[in-house]
């Protein structure tokens, strides 16, 4: 069984097919958040602290930490800022962290200070990236997110994306990194732009699980880009990717609808034993709309003789 | 491609892998609804009429019609009551109907008056049922729901349930009924009682689709029986069964959370071309909670060169 182990100083988490879905909180990331970027440049970490606490309180399994505040001189500015951000976050919460940067020097600086066993986010299939990132992952014995694009960009052909993922897994093996330490991101396209984006990713996830036997992740909300009511699309996408074998996602845990979908999919996927987490979370849930409970027939779980209508009795115990 | 055609007098619907999920409205069913049963016995069809109109307005693709008001003398009471109910419903709405009864005489009486091409609900793997229902389906050239239990009851072993489904498909073939006119119900157990119920049904659905190539259905809300916040479990279950290949379900279309899950899964499954139905339904959707839209980066759908962070730009266009 594929097990990717990540850890903070005090807490170990397993990412795996038989584990609850790993929610990697995406909020600590100044990309597209001008106010946060400005704060971080000024050395103001109030929003970082708030985002860290809120995401963990909302149920994040891990936190992604990105300090990419500027495209100007990132090789100089990003390493110290990422180090400072990581130190603040790991001093505050006890979940494992993901060190997120496109700057190799920042990844390395982060690895030097991160406690436990962080996840590196990310390597791609580009030669330059492979040669820069994989030795670091080996040196620090940490798992890495492998994004399935390369020098030619992001292929619209899922077979090519699978081949890139396979190449990264093989190259990692050359460096002595086991496939259970590669978490493949098959890349999720916006369904509003590419109608087959869902089917592509479901098929890719099955292949990655069955053929490469690797854990997987994605930037989840990308699927709903450009559509109205994105949370509804995201909340439908989560059970589908979990059903297809995805084991983690970089997402916003502060969205109740998405987190409810994660919890429901864990129940249905058999990774919330006895539905304990579901029941603890929703035992006092009040329906948003009116309705009443019917006197329900026993569910059709017994082994007795049952004909058409009787076999349906469980279905008749509907949630009105 | 497997196509199950159902029709009312004026409207034809295809159930199939490449079609929007077929929502069979479950409400017109006195099982577990004492007030409705009492009304129907009195010849009062106000609730039936209300349920028919509301379900179609809520987006039901078809309506299930059941008149099983009593376990006493159903062979005499149920046929005329089912006929009357079907006539009222088909005079009111133009969606195809499902004739739901465990009484063969009621099914036959219903088939005599139903317009178009109704679905028969249901046959099981029991000899008596097979011999009673399959000739009727052949005679009236209608599709039928095949529930995967037999004389020995409902097996907890999904392989046995698959074998029962296969037997029904084969027996139907002996009667000259094509497999595309068999809609298999693999039987959904309550996940609160059987932790593997989800995984069982997902595996069964894949086999039914890949090996028997049949359309499938289930009494959807059975999965959440006994749990708090059932709508949340149901709404997570819908995208998972659709992802696993299920093509219809008997469910309550008047539940917004469940119907949103159906619509999202259609988008993600590629059966809502250009997301038209989603956009029309949710274009004016107001988020339930506070939040603001960030200045979003373009989604990562292009083919350009993208490194780690840049490749994540689409994900950064998160739905805040």
């Amino acid at each position: 069984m594929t097990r990717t182990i990540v850890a903070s100083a005090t807490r170990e988490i397993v990412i795996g097919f038989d584990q609850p879905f790993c929610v990697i909180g995406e909020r600590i990331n100044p990309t597209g958040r001008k106010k946060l970027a400005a704060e971080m440049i000024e050395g103001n970490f109030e929003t970082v602290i708030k985002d860290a606490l809120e995401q963990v309180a909302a149920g994040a399994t891990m936190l992604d930490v990105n300090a990419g505040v500027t495209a100007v001189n990132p090789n100089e500015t990003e390493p110290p800022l990422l180090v400072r951000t990581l130190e603040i976050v790991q001093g505050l919460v006890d979940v494992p962290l993901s060190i997120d940067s496109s700057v190799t020097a920042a990844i390395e600086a982060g690895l030097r200070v991160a406690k436990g066993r962080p996840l590196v986010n990310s390597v791609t299939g580009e030669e330059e990236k492979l040669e820069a990132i994989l030795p670091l992952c080996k040196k620090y014995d940490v798992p890495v997110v492998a994004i399935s694009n390369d020098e030619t960009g992001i292929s619209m052909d899922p077979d090519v994306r699978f081949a890139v993922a396979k190449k990264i897994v093989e190259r990692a093996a050359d460096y002595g990194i086991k496939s259970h330490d590669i978490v493949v991101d098959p890349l999720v396209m916006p369904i509003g732009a590419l109608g087959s984006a869902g089917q592509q990713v479901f098929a890719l996830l099955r292949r990655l699980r069955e053929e490469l036997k690797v854990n997987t992740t994605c930037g989840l909300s990308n699927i709903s880009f450009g559509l109205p009511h994105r949370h509804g699309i995201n909340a439908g996408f989560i059970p589908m990717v979990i059903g297809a074998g995805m084991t983690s996602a970089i997402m916003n845990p502060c969205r109740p609808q998405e987190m409810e979908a994660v919890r429901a999919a864990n129940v249905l996927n058999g990774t919330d034993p006895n539905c304990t987490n579901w029941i603890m979370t929703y035992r006092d849930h009040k329906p948003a709309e009116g309705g009443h409970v019917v006197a329900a027939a026993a569910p059709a779980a017994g082994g007795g003789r049952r004909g058409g209508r009787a076999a349906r009795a469980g279905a008749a115990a509907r949630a009105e």
Side-chain angles (χ1 to χ4, degrees), chain A:
Chain A
M1 186 61 85
T2 305
R3 294 164 62 89
T4 305
I5 294 174
V6 289
S8 65
T10 55
R11 200 156 148 191
E12 186 179 286
I13 295 284
V14 179
I15 305 173
F17 305 141
D18 59 346
Q19 299 293 317
F21 192 66
C22 176
V23 174
I24 306 173
E26 72 181 3
R27 297 280 298 152
I28 304 175
N29 188 336
T31 316
R33 297 179 75 188
K34 283 185 188 173
K35 188 165 163 286
L36 174 60
E39 283 180 14
M40 290 172 77
I41 289 168
E42 283 170 14
N44 172 357
F45 291 89
E46 276 177 40
T47 301
V48 168
I49 290 167
K50 184 169 166 284
D51 283 341
L53 295 173
E54 281 182 1
Q55 289 183 101
V56 172
T61 324
M62 301 178 58
L63 294 185
D64 189 74
V65 178
N66 182 307
V69 292
T70 167
V72 183
N73 254 351
N75 289 321
E76 283 174 34
T77 59
E78 201 168 317
L81 189 59
L82 183 58
V83 163
R84 180 125 168 72
T85 312
L86 284 166
E87 286 177 331
I88 287 167
V89 175
Q90 72 186 359
L92 202 64
V93 296
D94 71 347
V95 298
L97 303 183
S98 156
I99 302 177
D100 183 4
S101 179
S102 57
V103 176
T104 303
I107 298 264
E108 179 153 28
L111 284 168
R112 264 188 235 116
V113 300
K115 294 175 181 163
R117 194 168 198 250
L119 177 67
V120 166
N121 184 7
S122 55
V123 69
T124 68
E126 296 163 292
E127 271 312 310
E128 195 187 334
K129 279 276 168 195
L130 292 165
E131 286 168 22
I133 302 297
L134 293 179
L136 287 178
C137 297
K138 177 61 186 172
K139 179 178 173 188
Y140 289 91
D141 183 30
V142 290
V144 62
V145 172
I147 302 186
S148 50
N149 69 309
D150 63 12
E151 286 84 357
T152 63
I154 300 170
S155 174
M156 288 298 109
D157 179 348
D159 289 342
V160 173
R161 299 220 294 282
F162 181 83
V164 173
K166 190 155 181 264
K167 181 181 85 169
I168 301 174
V169 170
E170 286 165 355
R171 288 295 295 277
D174 293 342
Y175 283 94
I177 301 165
K178 298 274 189 1
S179 63
H180 64 236
D181 276 335
I182 310 293
V183 180
V184 172
D185 180 344
L187 286 165
V188 169
M189 306 291 157
I191 191 98
L194 183 72
S196 61
Q199 290 162 297
Q200 272 193 4
V201 82
F202 307 144
L204 259 171
L205 287 169
R206 288 212 183 84
R207 289 192 67 191
L208 289 166
R209 176 166 178 161
E210 287 162 18
E211 296 178 41
L212 292 190
K213 299 181 171 53
V214 290
N215 280 310
T216 41
T217 197
C218 73
L220 191 119
S221 64
N222 210 21
I223 191 73
S224 60
F225 182 84
L227 288 179
H229 188 27
R230 294 184 63 175
H231 302 302
I233 294 286
N234 297 346
F237 189 53
I238 289 166
M240 292 181 97
V241 289
I242 292 178
M246 188 171 270
T247 47
S248 72
I250 300 164
M251 56 181 280
N252 185 353
C254 300
R255 303 303 321 191
Q257 189 172 1
E258 280 89 329
M259 285 302 283
E260 181 175 308
V262 169
R263 293 188 190 101
N266 282 340
V267 167
L268 296 161
N269 202 28
T271 59
D272 179 5
N274 303 313
C275 313
T276 304
N277 188 47
W278 181 269
I279 292 168
M280 294 303 285
T281 309
Y282 298 106
R283 64 198 309 169
D284 300 320
H285 181 86
K286 297 280 179 297
E289 312 132 80
H292 59 282
V293 176
V294 290
R305 283 166 191 259
R306 287 161 182 283
R309 187 171 63 229
R312 282 266 189 263
R318 61 180 83 75
E320 296 204 51

